[in-house]
Amino acid sequence: MTDLHHTLLTLDSHIDIPWPDRQDAWTEDTPRQVNVPKTRKGGLKAVCLAAYIPQGSRDDAGHAEGWDRVQGMLDVISGIEGRQGNHSACVCRTAADVRAAYEAGDLAVIPAIENGHSLGGHPERIAELARRYGVRYMTLTHNGHNALADAAIPRKDLADAETLHGGLSELGREAIAHMNRSGVLVDVSHAAKSTMMQASEISATPVFASHSCARALCDHPRNLDDEQLDRLKETGGLIQVTAMGSFLKKGGGGTVEDLVRHVSYIANRIGVEHVGISSDFDGGGGIPGWKDATETANVTHALQAAGFSDAEISAIWGGNMLRLLETAEKAATVL
């Protein structure tokens, strides 16, 4: 009998890359939680690799640093393509590319950006990054407010007040318009609730959260509350439940079963078509049962144990995210 897991197009929507680059994306033995050999061993078929830009100062120097770093990181992500030994990877710009990579037995790599600070205060730059690198989503913020929007977690070390813009700034609204035109999804993970709600109102395509959990089950500022979940349902959006222990269970210590508990809660509240999976590996993610990409099958088995059907698991593991990517592609004017 074929294990369901090995028949699925499994897509993990948020993985960081180590920085500075260690040149170990193809190395078998490395502490990195996700590399090409580990995805193959664990049956993980598609990965969104994020260029993470720490929040810096909101001045010319801080903006220049963010812009330089995002290009360097995306150069590395774009370089994870080709074949080495029995392993192969393909950088994908569209949902069709992801499906083609899956059919060919290649790991599908989808470039993404974590933190709009990377644009250096120039919202129009997202079009360049989409064109040059195939970037498919960007979080508006990370921890700490930036020039685009307020974050869920202000940074005292950056002298943040609780709010800077009251949600989106004018630059943030411009950025969303540029993202919509370029087929880049608006990622509201890390964003303040005000930012998320405003973004969901003005974005021409549904917003999504690439790595967040349900606040009703774990009261953490990085999680989405029921009103936010309901907004995702109303607008056709998506939340990708993430393997971060402190987001899954108050005080930390979340397990694969806790991850599936969040998936079940969200599916029951707003529908299985609005929920997916992410790990946040190499960015702090990793829980008992899913500590790296080699253990990915455990998530599928936990979803089965929770009573999800094969079709529902297929949607949760990748179908929903691919549908959202296609929605953004259809709405784009400059792909």
Side-chain angles (χ1 to χ4, degrees), residues 4-15:
L4 172 68
H5 180 72
H6 296 289
T7 71
L8 298 170
L9 198 174
T10 48
L11 191 161
D12 182 338
S13 66
H14 193 85
I15 297 166

Side-chain angles (χ1 to χ4, degrees), residues 56 72 144 211 232 257 278 290 303 333:
H211 59 304
L232 290 180
E257 289 70 30
S278 67
W290 199 26
L303 290 168
T333 58

Side-chain angles (χ1 to χ4, degrees), residues 33-303:
Q33 289 172 288
V34 178
N35 59 22
V36 180
K38 286 181 178 179
T39 60
R40 187 178 183 90
K41 184 175 181 180
L44 181 56
K45 307 298 175 52
V47 294
C48 294
L49 296 185
Y52 160 59
I53 310 305
Q55 185 57 46
S57 58
R58 297 183 297 270
D59 55 22
D60 289 347
H63 285 154
E65 184 178 358
W67 177 239
D68 287 345
R69 172 163 165 156
V70 75
Q71 293 174 89
M73 296 187 81
L74 289 170
D75 281 334
V76 170
I77 292 169
S78 295
I80 304 174
E81 183 164 82
R83 176 176 293 275
Q84 294 191 23
N86 295 324
H87 307 303
S88 55
C90 179
V91 176
C92 299
R93 290 176 172 265
T94 66
D97 290 345
V98 173
R99 292 191 175 96
Y102 167 72
E103 293 295 335
D106 300 334
L107 173 67
V109 175
I110 304 163
I113 299 171
E114 187 167 22
N115 197 355
H117 180 66
S118 60
L119 302 182
H122 296 277
E124 69 279 2
R125 284 174 169 169
I126 192 63
E128 178 184 346
L129 298 178
R131 184 177 62 254
R132 283 170 58 192
Y133 300 107
V135 169
R136 293 308 315 273
Y137 77 71
M138 182 180 75
T139 71
L140 294 172
T141 72
H142 191 254
N143 298 332
H145 310 318
N146 64 24
L148 305 183
D150 288 353
I153 301 176
R155 288 268 301 275
K156 291 182 179 179
D157 60 317
L158 295 175
D160 283 351
E162 279 302 303
T163 182
L164 178 62
H165 309 288
L168 290 167
S169 70
E170 284 305 311
L171 279 180
R173 292 171 183 271
E174 289 179 32
I176 289 174
H178 284 291
M179 294 168 77
N180 290 164
R181 286 194 286 270
S182 298
V184 177
L185 289 169
V186 178
D187 184 353
V188 297
S189 283
H190 284 288
K193 180 177 179 178
S194 56
T195 297
M196 179 270 174
M197 299 295 275
Q198 291 168 21
S200 71
E201 291 172 1
I202 70 168
S203 178
T205 56
V207 303
F208 89 117
S210 67
H211 59 304
S212 297
C213 299
R215 193 155 187 174
L217 299 186
C218 181
D219 187 13
H220 191 288
R222 273 279 286 102
N223 289 340
L224 273 58
D225 66 21
D226 286 349
E227 184 180 12
Q228 291 173 285
L229 295 178
D230 292 345
R231 179 60 64 83
L232 290 180
K233 179 178 182 178
E234 293 164 5
T235 58
L238 181 62
I239 176 174
Q240 302 284 110
V241 174
T242 197
M244 181 73 75
S246 58
F247 299 171
L248 292 169
K249 188 175 180 180
K250 194 67 176 178
T255 65
V256 166
E257 289 70 30
D258 289 307
L259 184 146
V260 171
R261 186 166 59 96
H262 281 253
V263 172
S264 296
Y265 177 86
I266 295 165
N268 289 334
R269 184 173 182 91
I270 64 174
V272 73
E273 66 270 29
H274 299 290
V275 64
I277 299 288
S278 67
S279 66
D280 204 4
F281 283 150
D282 294 311
I287 52 179
W290 199 26
K291 292 182 179 178
D292 65 23
T294 67
E295 297 185 336
T296 301
N298 291 339
V299 179
T300 301
H301 300 154
L303 290 168

